[in-house]
Amino acid sequence: DQQVKQNSPSLSVQEGRISILNCDYTNSMFDYFLWYKKYPAEGPTFLISISSIKDKNEDGRFTVFLNKSAKHLSLHIVPSQPGDSAVYFCAASEGGGATNKLIFGTGTLLAVQP
Amino acid sequence: EPEVTQTPSHQVTQMGQEVILRCVPISNHLYFYWYRQILGQKVEFLVSFYNNEISEKSEIFDDQFSVERPDGSNFTLKIRSTKLEDSAMYFCASRGTSGGAPTQYFGPGTRLTVL
């Protein structure tokens, strides 16, 4: 039951260029989407989120775009830096109640080449 | 900046033994979670805890698992009789208030190895 999918296991980009990480979902009840970054042997670190009522959210070099009709979101990193090299997880939450558990995608390994 | 902490960072145990994984969530947070990540797989939800009780648990969280908030700061996950397939990274997370983005902040994880 893969409600959140990241179809690209890896991505390599040159320093200074744009990195685009993609995520698809199937559950139309998700109301928030979040991106986390993870280094080996560390916990996921929150990057940016977007509400399902918006189509774009920007924070510095990071922008998340949401296309609800296509059930697709993407994370843009501009410009990419070598320190951005990590695994990026897309996660979704279905609102309400005392849970808001996160459902994660499988992750995309981003390698930014100097 | 406040952060979630977890101990130990690595726990090695024999199959059938009990383990307790410990977490100190961010101090003013109200919602607490455990997730796990088996090597090479995605991060999976185990359980959520709010107002001193479990609010939701996954199919993974069977009778061998339990959680507790024994005092105002710690949040623990106990596995009563460990199995080989329990070997994974276990992450604790916490969240502040209801409403708004449900951002959860994760600890560094405990690597559990069951031999």
Side-chain angles (χ1 to χ4, degrees), chain A:
Chain A
D1 177 21
Q2 288 196 58
Q3 297 188 70
V4 179
K5 299 180 198 176
Q6 293 175 259
N7 292 318
S8 299
S10 63
L11 174 68
S12 182
V13 300
Q14 290 292 317
E15 181 178 5
R17 307 294 285 267
I18 184 171
S19 295
I20 300 176
L21 299 109
N22 293 303
C23 179
D24 297 294
Y25 63 95
T26 56
N27 186 346
S28 57
M29 299 301 292
F30 289 143
D31 63 346
Y32 269 98
F33 302 91
L34 304 90
W35 285 94
Y36 285 84
K37 172 181 176 179
K38 187 179 179 304
Y39 294 115
E42 293 187 14
T45 301
F46 170 70
L47 276 176
I48 191 170
S49 65
I50 188 166
S51 162
S52 61
I53 63 172
K54 298 195 172 179
D55 54 18
K56 178 181 174 182
N57 189 26
E58 190 171 354
D59 184 2
R61 295 187 297 115
F62 302 92
T63 303
V64 57
F65 295 92
L66 175 62
N67 182 334
K68 257 187 104 171
S69 60
K71 293 192 175 69
H72 177 84
L73 64 154
S74 60
L75 174 68
H76 292 211
I77 306 173
V78 181
S80 301
Q81 299 171 354
D84 295 330
S85 298
V87 178
Y88 287 77
F89 290 98
C90 170
S93 173
E94 186 179 338
T99 302
N100 284 121
K101 68 183 180 191
L102 296 180
I103 297 173
F104 283 84
T106 48
T108 297
L109 175 62
L110 174 64
V112 180
Q113 310 295 335

Side-chain angles (χ1 to χ4, degrees), chain A residues 1-4 31-32 34 36 38 41-44 46 49 89 93 97-106, chain B residues 31 33 35 37 41-45 48 50 55-56 89 91 95 98 100-109 111:
Chain A
D1 177 21
Q2 288 196 58
Q3 297 188 70
V4 179
D31 63 346
Y32 269 98
L34 304 90
Y36 285 84
K38 187 179 179 304
E42 293 187 14
F46 170 70
S49 65
F89 290 98
S93 173
T99 302
N100 284 121
K101 68 183 180 191
L102 296 180
I103 297 173
F104 283 84
T106 48
Chain B
Y31 301 84
Y33 306 84
Y35 293 80
Q37 185 182 27
Q41 298 185 23
K42 60 182 176 180
V43 178
E44 299 175 288
F45 167 77
S48 59
Y50 169 72
S55 48
E56 186 174 351
M89 283 290 290
F91 296 105
R95 176 167 72 92
S98 60
T103 305
Q104 295 177 24
Y105 296 90
F106 285 77
R111 178 174 297 283

Side-chain angles (χ1 to χ4, degrees), chain B residues 23-27 32 69-75:
Chain B
C23 168
V24 179
I26 294 172
S27 64
F32 312 111
R69 188 155 162 82
D71 53 43
S73 60
N74 290 283
F75 180 51

